[in-house]
Amino acid sequence: MKIQKDKYTRMLHAIAYVVIIGLSVACLLPFLLIISASLTSNESIIRDGYHLIPGQFSLEGYKTVFIFPDEVLRAYTVTIVTTVVGTTLGLFFMTMAGYVLARKDFKYRNTFSFYIYFTTLFGGGLVPWYIMITKYLGLLDSYAVLVLPGLMTPFLIILMKNFVKSAVPEELFDSGKIDGAGDFRIYWQIVLKLSMPGIATVGLFLALYYWNDWFTSSLFINDTHKYQLQFYLYNVINSAQFIAQMGAGTGVSLATEVPAESTKMAMAIVVTGPILFLYPFVQRYFVKGLTIGAVKG
């Protein structure tokens, strides 16, 4: 009976591994397709479509993206700085907010939790937000406007609060107070050390938000030297498409000189590359933080 049970268990494990491997390959194929397309000539993509192996190898897409290397490097620098500064400050503020809202001895924690949750359901709209940022806060065309809007995200505050509640026993707060520790010392020396999976999860969400943000630049940045990488590349691909369409409409052969399709794929690789290198280092904490923070209330 035990042999049959072990055989049945091994068979289930084998099936599970096959399914997981199949799903992993299915998730990996689109990215491999993008890499292949970024290394394929624009004419080959238009003529033969996308393939996992480049039909006609070419680096013209990357050459178009890096046609002005100084500007790409500057946009990279702006994105890296805003990502690092925004993620660091956002983690500091949101972990403090999560810690305070998780404390049962905080009298107004339910009231503040409701206000934070309410903002996930209703908002003032784009126009009032634009007026507030530009007219009342005076952040138009400044680096601060690229960082400040994402510092306090309601969903991430709630996630951090739930994680602190599940990861840090209430008795530790009382023990710290008995030993003479203040609230900030308890937060700094106890809560942060026990909340690393949740911090890694929130940090990755924040880093992805800042890294992928192009909408803020499109609204509030007029100086091209302050463009984030995504918005700069967005302008590059729009210019390439416009030139290609103008050439097609006038009968002038410009489509071969502006590799719009391969440039799109090269742009995707340039944008996602750094995040792909970052994710494996925080993946272990990310999965644990999501499951614990989401299940416990």
Side-chain angles (χ1 to χ4, degrees):
M1 190 72 174
K2 184 178 179 181
I3 296 176
Q4 274 188 338
K5 187 176 180 180
D6 291 342
K7 185 178 179 181
Y8 180 70
T9 302
R10 285 196 298 269
M11 185 176 67
L12 286 179
H13 287 172
I15 294 174
Y17 286 133
V18 170
V19 172
I20 292 173
I21 292 172
L23 291 175
S24 301
V25 171
C27 293
L28 191 60
L29 280 176
F31 187 69
L32 295 177
L33 196 64
I34 293 174
I35 295 177
S36 174
S38 69
L39 298 173
T40 305
S41 68
N42 197 65
E43 295 81 2
S44 179
I45 294 176
I46 295 174
R47 183 180 63 251
D48 304 321
Y50 298 96
H51 298 282
L52 286 176
I53 300 176
Q56 184 178 347
F57 183 81
S58 174
L59 295 176
E60 58 185 7
Y62 291 98
K63 290 178 181 178
T64 302
V65 172
F66 291 99
I67 191 171
F68 300 111
D70 292 341
E71 294 187 8
V72 175
L73 183 61
R74 187 186 300 114
Y76 246 120
T77 302
V78 172
T79 298
I80 291 173
V81 171
T82 55
T83 300
V84 172
V85 173
T87 302
T88 303
L89 291 178
L91 280 176
F92 182 63
F93 292 137
M94 281 190 274
T95 50
M96 283 199 299
Y99 161 64
V100 171
L101 295 176
R103 291 287 298 267
K104 292 183 179 179
D105 55 350
F106 178 48
K107 182 178 180 181
Y108 302 104
R109 69 189 185 100
N110 290 331
T111 303
F112 279 98
S113 296
F114 171 76
Y115 287 149
I116 292 171
Y117 175 71
F118 185 82
T119 61
T120 64
L121 303 177
F122 303 98
L126 181 60
V127 174
W129 182 52
Y130 182 85
I131 294 174
M132 181 187 70
I133 294 291
T134 57
K135 184 176 180 181
Y136 294 101
L137 298 181
L139 297 178
L140 183 66
D141 219 23
S142 67
Y143 288 113
V145 77
L146 301 176
V147 175
L148 293 180
L151 287 184
M152 297 295 281
T153 305
F155 167 73
L156 297 182
I157 295 175
I158 295 171
L159 184 65
M160 198 68 225
K161 180 199 77 170
N162 291 339
F163 188 86
V164 172
K165 285 178 62 177
S166 62
V168 185
E170 191 72 24
E171 291 77 10
L172 282 180
F173 300 144
D174 299 331
S175 177
K177 285 191 173 182
I178 292 174
D179 291 338
D183 289 326
F184 188 81
R185 187 175 180 183
I186 293 174
Y187 156 78
W188 190 258
Q189 294 187 347
I190 297 177
V191 174
L192 290 186
K193 291 183 179 179
L194 295 177
S195 303
M196 285 308 298
I199 292 173
T201 303
V202 173
L204 184 60
F205 275 128
L206 270 175
L208 287 173
Y209 164 77
Y210 282 111
W211 186 266
N212 294 322
D213 182 32
W214 64 272
F215 189 61
T216 305
S217 291
S218 69
L219 283 179
F220 304 114
I221 301 298
N222 298 320
D223 185 357
T224 57
H225 292 93
K226 297 179 181 179
Y227 280 172
Q228 292 170 293
L229 178 65
Q230 285 70 16
F231 188 62
Y232 171 78
L233 295 178
Y234 172 79
N235 286 335
V236 169
I237 195 62
N238 275 352
S239 300
Q241 289 178 331
F242 175 76
I243 294 173
Q245 290 173 359
M246 287 295 293
T250 58
V252 180
S253 180
L254 293 177
T256 57
E257 300 177 10
V258 184
E261 296 302 322
S262 57
T263 302
K264 290 179 187 177
M265 302 300 108
M267 182 178 69
I269 298 299
V270 170
V271 169
T272 58
I275 293 297
L276 290 177
F277 285 111
L278 172 67
Y279 183 76
F281 295 101
V282 298
Q283 185 261 350
R284 176 166 57 96
Y285 295 109
F286 180 72
V287 174
K288 184 178 179 182
L290 266 183
T291 53
I292 295 179
V295 173
K296 302 276 178 128

